[in-house]
Each structure stands twice: as structure tokens, then as C-alpha cells.
Amino acid sequence: MSQGAEDQNAHTNERDALLDKSHGSEPAELVIFLRDRAGIYFHLEDGLQARAEELVELVIREQGLPHEAKDVFSLWFVSSILELRLKSHHQPFQIVNKWDQLCALYTDAKYNDIRESEPVLMFQRDVFCPREQELFVTNEQMLCLLYHEAKFNVIEGRYVLYIEDYHRLAGLQALIHMGKFSAQTHVRTEYQTNLMQFYPEHMYTKDRFLFFGKTKSPAKDCEELFMEAHRKVSEEYADLDVDKSLSILYRKYLEICWSYPFYGSAFFSGRIETPSSRLKKLILPPPDTEVWVAINTDCVTVINRTRCELLLSIPFSQLSWEYKDPDFDGDNDPPPCLFLQFLVDELRSGSEREDAENGAAATAMGTAEPVTKLLKVYSREAKLMDALIETCVRRKRQQLQGSPGVDFVDGGLFDNSSRKILNKLDQLCLSTYSKDGENLD
């Protein structure tokens, strides 16, 4: 028997052993989905007792992924109102039986929405996988799964990018799925009808009349820019055999996503206070701003969900945080709060004060004063956010303790993204404190 046949038999025997292992429970059937929308069906003899780590191993073996995949991917329960990463010892059938209670605890969803919420067991990127580890992934199947997940986050509007990057990614995606550009076969109407499969909604939605005016329309329609992006990418890779070089294109797509600080984050729903004058607050307070709170192994990012705009991204080296349960007054049920405190250089001169994004303007004028800003994020998921931040920081410190040459005095917690992001402090309702804790508002 050849070595390849022996390996295949060993692979099959190990998989069958996992499938047939019994803890004395009833058999169960389940489907684990991938981000490319494929589903893997399993019939488990010990299904009700199956642990997440066992199911991850099954998926890896079923898909023929390398062993390193267990450090990159994990199991999640995903629904329209809640997403939860499963720990290795979690038993999915027990979690799904408690799904309604979890949704009631961690979301503001109405009863009927919770009852209709159908969680899907998803095999996707592990939030605890460091970005620098992902950079070394070369296996095409793993890159394909990471590509599809990144594409999902881009199209869903979770990854908020610069406009040129949206078009670049759409061009790469078109090359992967539509082949190289051909003026004879690829016409404008094809791009127009497929926009929602390549772009987030805010990129192709037509002009909307807002209360204080009309949004500006681009010089060219999105479908025209999409077609140009496909043509340019096709010219760039004219000598490339697309079908035989998919791993290269997957990686090119991911490289753009890697450059943003929120890549690989877990996303949580929340709301923050909308800035307004004291008079407006007295007369007609503005509604709170709905946000995504994105947390990965490097930083916390706050994104305006309505405007698809990045508001704040703070690496752990500059962040202090605290979770606070609300005081129950018997009349309402306010959500918990996550306090995010971070250090900035602010320009302060008499009665005129300006926020300096990342301290650049203040430093240039030589009048920068280090202060701390405090942002309050209200969310039923605040406890989950707090636990994830604490775990990511602890893991980062453990990692750095074993890395020679890292100055641990100042934390050594650094942001690995190459893309510089400007925080929009003027769009946040922040409290300001001196380094000694004095309230400066």
C-alpha cells in the first residue's frame, strides 16, 4: 500500500472514530456552514454531547484542511440578532436550547423576533487568531474561507473602507468569480445588476434627500467604477491563469482588509450619545447613534452603523475600560454600559478648545496637552465586550512576555495595521479628564 493510501485510510479511520464515538446519548444530525455558503452534514452518534472542539476537528478533516486550521478557525452560533463564539468545551446542542434566553439577555430584540431567530452553526475565523499569524497562511482552502468571510464583512458594511479600496476589492472579486474582463461579454448592465454582491449598500444607493439637504452623488455611477476596476485588475493580472492562481487573488483581497485595524473582529451592537448643544438637548434631544463595536486581538473600533463611518479605533496600549451594570429603578430596564477611556493630545487655549485627531494638529502648534477622553457605549452585549477585551489583553501580554526585546513597561501592545485611521472625535459625545483625573468639561 502506498504512503498516500495509508494516510487516507488513517484520515478516514480518525474521522469515523469521531463520528461513532458514543457518550451514551442519542444520535443527532447537524449542519455546519462555511462562509462560502456551503454546508457540511454530519450524523453524530453522540450528537447531544458533542463538544465544539470535536466538531471543529470534524470540519477540518472533512474539508481536508491542514492541522494548523484549528488555530485559525472556530465555531460560532450566528443569527440576525446575536453572534456567539463557542469555547472548545461548549456543547452546541445545549447552547441552542438556551438560545432564546441568551437573546433576551444580550439583545434588545422583541419576543417575536427572538422566537423567529434561527441560529446557524458557522465555521469561521477565530477572533483570537492574531493577524500576524494569518499572514503566514498559504493553504488555498484556508485562504478561500478567509476570503469569503472578509467579503461578507465588506458587503455587509461591517468593514468600513476607503472608497478606492471598495472598488479595488470589487475588481478582485470580479476577476475571481467572473473571469478576466472582456468588452464583448461584460457590459454595464451586468455590473449594475450585481452591485449588491460586490459592494455594501451605501456605495450604490442613489441620492437620498435628507432633512438638511441632499447627499452628493459621485462623478461616475458605481457600476461604471466597478467595471473600470474589473478591467484594471484584469490588465494587471493579464498573464495570470485565474483558475490555477486563486490563492494569489484571495491573498491580494485579504491584504487590503488586513491593512485596517478592525480586521478579524467580533462585532457587537451598541449605541452612543449623539453630540448636540445644551439647548438642543433641552428642547429635543437627538436620538442615540447606533454603532458597531468591533473587537479583535489588537484594538477596539467604534463604527457608525447608519452612516457606515469609522468613528474611533483605539489600540489596547492606549485603552482603559470598565463594565458597569445599570441601576435598576423599577420603571425601566436600561442597558449595561461599557466605558472606554483613552489618551489623546488636545489643543486647549483659553475658552477655545479643539479636538486634535491623533494629536497631529496640536503637536504642530506646540500647545498639545495630554488628556483622557471617556466614551460610554450602551449595549446588552457590554458584558460580552468586556470579557473579550479582557481576554485579548491577557493573551497579548502573555504573548509579549515571551518575546525578547519588547518593552513591557509601556505595555508593548501595538497596533499591527498599516493603514492610518483618523478618529472622528468631534462626532462623539466625550467627557474630558486631565491625567490626574480632574474633569475638564
Side-chain angles (χ1 to χ4, degrees):
M1 180 182 296
S2 67
Q3 182 63 43
E6 291 179 356
D7 291 343
Q8 181 62 36
N9 286 339
H11 172 102
T12 302
N13 292 337
E14 289 173 351
R15 177 179 179 275
D16 290 343
L18 283 169
L19 287 171
D20 294 337
K21 186 174 64 176
S22 174
H23 297 301
S25 66
E26 297 180 4
E29 299 177 349
L30 61 82
V31 178
I32 300 177
F33 288 91
L34 310 177
R35 275 300 177 188
D36 62 0
R37 299 188 177 184
I40 308 173
Y41 169 83
F42 293 107
H43 177 86
L44 303 174
E45 291 300 325
D46 65 330
L48 301 183
Q49 299 296 325
R51 298 191 306 272
E53 62 181 353
E54 296 174 331
L55 297 177
V56 167
E57 188 69 24
L58 282 177
V59 174
I60 290 174
R61 296 184 185 282
E62 179 71 23
Q63 294 297 109
L65 300 175
H67 188 65
E68 67 191 68
K70 68 180 180 61
D71 298 322
V72 178
F73 299 98
S74 61
L75 282 186
W76 295 66
F77 266 125
V78 177
S79 79
S80 58
I81 59 178
L82 183 64
E83 299 180 5
L84 292 177
R85 174 192 177 273
L86 302 188
K87 297 181 180 179
S88 59
H89 66 274
H90 279 157
Q91 296 173 329
F93 278 94
Q94 291 187 6
I95 299 294
V96 78
N97 285 334
K98 300 177 181 178
W99 190 252
D100 288 359
Q101 297 97 304
L102 291 170
C103 289
L105 180 63
Y106 292 121
T107 76
D108 287 314
K110 298 179 180 179
Y111 175 77
N112 288 338
D113 293 333
I114 292 176
R115 295 293 297 172
E116 295 175 0
S117 172
E118 290 291 340
V120 171
L121 195 56
M122 188 76 70
F123 181 82
Q124 63 183 39
R125 189 186 189 280
D126 190 348
V127 68
F128 293 123
C129 175
R131 178 171 17 205
E132 54 268 28
Q133 180 178 344
E134 186 175 323
L135 301 182
F136 293 98
V137 174
T138 57
N139 178 268
E140 182 174 306
Q141 288 177 280
M142 290 178 63
L143 288 172
C144 178
L145 293 174
L146 293 169
Y147 156 76
H148 279 285
E149 184 171 346
K151 176 167 65 70
F152 168 83
N153 286 318
V154 170
I155 295 173
E156 287 296 309
R158 294 185 173 190
Y159 286 180
V160 178
L161 316 177
Y162 289 109
I163 291 179
E164 60 269 23
D165 284 340
Y166 280 122
H167 295 307
R168 173 71 175 176
L169 292 180
L172 287 168
Q173 184 183 340
L175 182 59
I176 292 171
H177 297 283
M178 299 168 60
K180 292 181 180 177
F181 176 81
S182 170
Q184 287 73 36
T185 58
H186 296 123
V187 295
R188 178 167 175 161
T189 54
E190 181 179 5
Y191 294 96
Q192 186 176 23
T193 56
N194 287 306
L195 284 175
M196 66 179 60
Q197 300 177 29
F198 291 81
Y199 288 92
E201 184 179 4
H202 72 272
M203 282 294 292
Y204 58 81
T205 301
K206 295 297 182 180
D207 293 348
R208 293 174 294 174
F209 283 88
L210 305 179
F211 187 77
F212 289 106
K214 187 169 73 74
T215 58
K216 294 182 179 179
S217 60
K220 294 182 179 180
D221 289 333
C222 187
E223 59 265 23
E224 186 175 347
L225 295 171
F226 178 18
M227 185 166 62
E228 288 183 6
H230 186 195
R231 177 181 57 79
K232 289 179 181 179
V233 170
S234 298
E235 292 175 354
E236 181 178 346
Y237 295 101
D239 297 331
L240 191 71
D241 186 330
V242 173
D243 293 334
K244 295 181 180 179
S245 308
L246 288 175
S247 59
I248 295 175
L249 299 177
Y250 294 150
R251 191 173 187 87
K252 290 298 181 182
Y253 190 100
L254 289 168
E255 284 174 355
I256 295 175
C257 297
W258 287 338
S259 69
Y260 287 88
F262 44 72
Y263 176 78
S265 291
F267 285 80
F268 303 90
S269 298
R271 55 184 175 85
I272 59 176
E273 187 178 349
T274 303
S276 66
S277 66
R278 293 182 180 178
L279 179 60
K280 286 184 178 180
K281 287 183 179 180
L282 290 174
I283 299 175
L284 184 64
D288 289 340
T289 300
E290 300 292 329
V291 296
W292 286 116
V293 179
I295 302 172
N296 61 16
T297 56
D298 294 314
C299 64
V300 177
T301 302
V302 179
I303 298 170
N304 186 320
R305 293 182 63 173
T306 304
R307 300 177 59 178
C308 294
E309 186 174 23
L310 190 149
L311 301 176
L312 180 71
S313 188
I314 302 296
F316 292 140
S317 59
Q318 301 172 19
L319 177 71
S320 297
W321 80 98
E322 183 179 352
Y323 167 80
K324 181 175 176 59
D325 269 321
D327 297 325
F328 184 69
D329 59 11
D331 294 329
N332 53 31
D333 184 20
C337 183
L338 185 70
F339 295 89
L340 301 177
Q341 191 169 24
F342 52 96
L343 187 68
V344 298
D345 288 331
E346 182 176 79
L347 179 63
R348 303 178 64 84
S349 56
S351 60
E352 185 176 325
R353 186 178 73 217
E354 300 175 16
D355 286 336
E357 293 181 349
N358 297 332
T363 303
M365 297 184 65
T367 58
E369 177 182 339
V371 297
T372 61
K373 296 285 187 177
L374 179 67
L375 176 67
K376 299 177 182 179
V377 180
Y378 299 94
S379 173
R380 299 288 176 195
E381 297 181 87
K383 193 170 186 177
L384 299 177
M385 300 181 205
D386 173 56
L388 180 55
I389 295 173
E390 183 176 359
T391 303
C392 287
V393 170
R394 184 179 69 250
R395 289 184 175 217
K396 178 71 79 173
R397 291 189 183 278
Q398 291 172 347
Q399 173 190 349
L400 293 172
Q401 282 178 331
S403 301
V406 175
D407 184 4
F408 197 70
V409 175
D410 61 3
L413 306 176
F414 48 85
D415 179 12
N416 292 316
S417 63
S418 59
R419 185 65 60 95
K420 296 302 180 183
I421 299 295
L422 294 180
N423 293 324
K424 298 178 174 60
L425 303 187
D426 59 324
Q427 297 185 31
L428 298 170
C429 191
L430 301 168
S431 300
T432 305
Y433 297 86
S434 69
K435 294 186 69 175
D436 297 326
E438 178 187 359
N439 192 326
L440 301 178
D441 291 328

